[in-house]
Structure formats: C-alpha cells, structure tokens
Amino acid sequence: MIPINVNNTQHQVPRETNVLQLIQTLDLNTLGIAIAINSAVVPKAIWSSTFLQPNDNVLLIQPAQGG
C-alpha cells in the first residue's frame, strides 16, 4: 500500500493503482470529473495509464448543481 492525498484527505491505495481505479474505488461517477495530480491536470484519455505514486496529491473536481 502507498499513501496518497485526495482532496486533502489521506488514503492508502495498492501499488500499481491508476487514476481510473482510484475513481472506481472511491465510487465516483466519471462524467464531468476533472483530476489533477501534483497540480498537473490528467486528461481522461490517460487515466488508465497514469499510475499513482507515494505521497501524490490528487485533486478531484466534480460539478455542483445549484443556482
């Protein structure tokens, strides 16, 4: 397991976890979500080939409804 930070909350994930697997583990909808790792945006096209590293800072941004 490796430590990562997701939206300022510490998580432990297995080594070789990619961004798509993280989203699935967190039970999030992939529609409209944006992801940055260590302040660099990760395009959706490469989520499955972008692997998390120890102490990565992951920012997940989801649209909010309101008005």
Side-chain angles (χ1 to χ4, degrees):
M1 301 291 272
I2 60 170
I4 62 168
N5 184 14
V6 179
N7 291 0
N8 296 318
T9 302
Q10 191 75 22
H11 290 267
Q12 294 284 326
V13 296
R15 289 194 180 276
E16 303 298 321
T17 297
N18 64 40
V19 172
L20 184 57
Q21 291 168 325
L22 174 65
I23 293 169
Q24 292 168 340
T25 298
L26 296 175
D27 198 28
L28 299 174
N29 186 342
T30 61
L31 294 177
I33 195 169
I35 297 176
I37 298 176
N38 302 323
S39 300
V41 174
V42 180
K44 191 172 188 175
I46 62 169
W47 285 0
S48 62
S49 62
T50 302
F51 291 89
L52 300 168
Q53 301 299 314
N55 301 309
D56 272 348
N57 287 306
V58 180
L59 178 62
L60 302 175
I61 302 170
Q62 294 179 296
Q65 293 188 4

